[in-house]
Amino acid sequence: MSNGDLPKTVGLFGLGLIGHAIATRLIARDVKVIGYDPSPDCRGHFERIGGQSVSEDKVWAADVIISAVFSTDQLSDLIASAPNTNAGRLISVSTCDPALMSGIAEEAATKGYTLIESPISGTSADLAAGNAILLVAGDTTIAADLAPLFKALSRAHFHVGAMGNGNRAKLAINLILGLSRAAVAEGVVFAKAIGLDPAAFLDLALESAASSKVMASKGPKIVARDFSPLGRINQCTKDAVLIHAAATEVGQGLPMLERYLELLNRSMANGEGDLDNSGVFLEIERSKPSPV
């Protein structure tokens, strides 16, 4: 890829919302994408957009491998199962525990792979439309060589330093996003509770000083009670747990995160984990006043 071209083949582990968006963008650029996911539904969606569903071992034959698995443990397990190679390139786009990324990169290196961290800031819809950004970390030479691939997937990519820093930046951004979604949801709940029409209120709020990108993207879903997922509550819960752990490790309290995590956990307990992350609205709507 030193000639600035895209790889001829990309192997993709994880064909859910993010994996599907990655495949959509690369297939549109005439890149052959081969992939694996344990879900037959995900494999079927992937094949319908032109991807080639293969067994796990065959994914590793691609020029570049992208991991879009759910968790840090799944990334580590994936690398443990990888065949040995020479000069392999593996990109992790998942939100993972930043404290473990250096060790996972070392594990990958024993198999012959350079692991590049590249978590995504944006929804799966943002990614599919080319509007997401990538937070790249790791070997600067390999990352520069992969720049054509990053450009094909995003509107911008930023190298933020050593392994772990990509996910540190992602978690800090996700903290702001999560609290912002909850604030929009709570504002709509409050407006409705005091007698305002939610749709009319949202139109007003979007023109006010409170307006934000989060409000513009999630507000209409909240008002329409359309919680078809672009990013799921279970993913946000996983990320919130990682944020809380990272903050605890350095002795930093995050009181608003703690309240948000309570809302997420109650949403999960109500079986709402697969809803869009704006679905935290439902838990706020169910809330009763607390003594001041």
Side-chain angles (χ1 to χ4, degrees):
M1 288 178 55
S2 58
N3 60 2
D5 293 335
L6 291 169
K8 292 182 179 179
T9 61
V10 168
L12 185 56
F13 285 104
L15 305 176
L17 293 173
I18 293 297
H20 191 273
I22 290 170
T24 298
R25 292 202 60 76
L26 294 181
I27 290 167
R29 298 288 298 271
D30 295 323
V31 175
K32 180 180 179 182
V33 184
I34 59 176
Y36 173 77
D37 193 287
S39 166
D41 286 344
C42 289
R43 295 197 300 269
H45 292 316
F46 175 61
E47 290 170 354
R48 282 191 286 276
I49 63 169
Q52 181 181 343
S53 181
V54 297
S55 60
E56 291 180 76
D57 59 314
K58 291 183 179 177
V59 176
W60 295 103
D63 297 323
V64 175
I65 312 300
I66 298 178
S67 169
V69 298
F70 181 75
S71 67
T72 312
D73 287 345
Q74 288 179 1
L75 174 62
S76 184
D77 290 345
L78 181 67
I79 291 170
S81 70
N84 292 325
T85 190
N86 292 315
R89 295 174 183 190
L90 172 62
I91 302 168
S92 171
V93 300
S94 306
T95 305
C96 294
D97 186 337
L100 300 179
M101 291 306 294
S102 291
I104 292 174
E106 291 173 2
E107 181 185 4
T110 66
K111 295 291 189 80
Y113 297 90
T114 299
L115 177 62
I116 296 294
E117 190 180 23
S118 183
I120 297 158
S121 181
T123 67
S124 56
D126 291 330
L127 181 59
N131 292 327
I133 69 169
L134 302 178
L135 307 169
V136 179
D139 187 289
T140 54
T141 300
I142 299 299
D145 202 30
L146 291 167
L149 184 56
F150 296 143
K151 289 177 181 177
L153 293 175
S154 66
R155 65 176 173 84
H157 64 280
F158 302 91
H159 197 287
V160 295
M163 289 297 296
N165 280 357
N167 274 290
R168 290 185 181 97
K170 174 67 184 292
L171 292 178
I173 290 169
N174 278 9
L175 173 58
I176 297 170
L177 285 173
L179 297 179
S180 297
R181 283 191 297 267
V184 172
E186 188 159 294
V188 173
V189 167
F190 175 60
K192 181 182 177 184
I194 60 176
L196 298 177
D197 175 73
F201 167 73
L202 178 62
D203 289 341
L204 174 63
L206 285 168
E207 295 296 329
S208 76
S211 184
S212 67
K213 289 183 179 179
V214 171
M215 184 183 290
S217 65
K218 297 297 184 177
K221 290 180 72 66
I222 289 168
V223 167
R225 305 178 79 91
D226 169 18
F227 302 120
S228 54
L230 300 176
R232 293 187 170 92
I233 285 175
N234 56 19
Q235 294 168 320
C236 289
T237 305
K238 177 204 70 169
D239 294 354
V241 169
L242 288 174
I243 294 166
H244 187 269
T248 300
E249 185 177 353
V250 296
Q252 178 60 58
L254 298 175
M256 288 189 287
L257 170 71
E258 291 179 4
R259 175 60 174 147
Y260 179 53
L261 188 51
E262 289 176 10
L263 293 171
L264 291 172
N265 284 332
R266 289 208 295 267
S267 295
M268 293 286 289
N270 275 295
E272 295 163 349
D274 282 332
L275 297 184
D276 185 77
N277 45 37
S278 60
V280 71
F281 166 87
L282 297 172
E283 180 55 39
I284 294 172
E285 189 178 49
R286 289 189 290 262
S287 298
K288 301 301 180 184
S290 300
V292 176

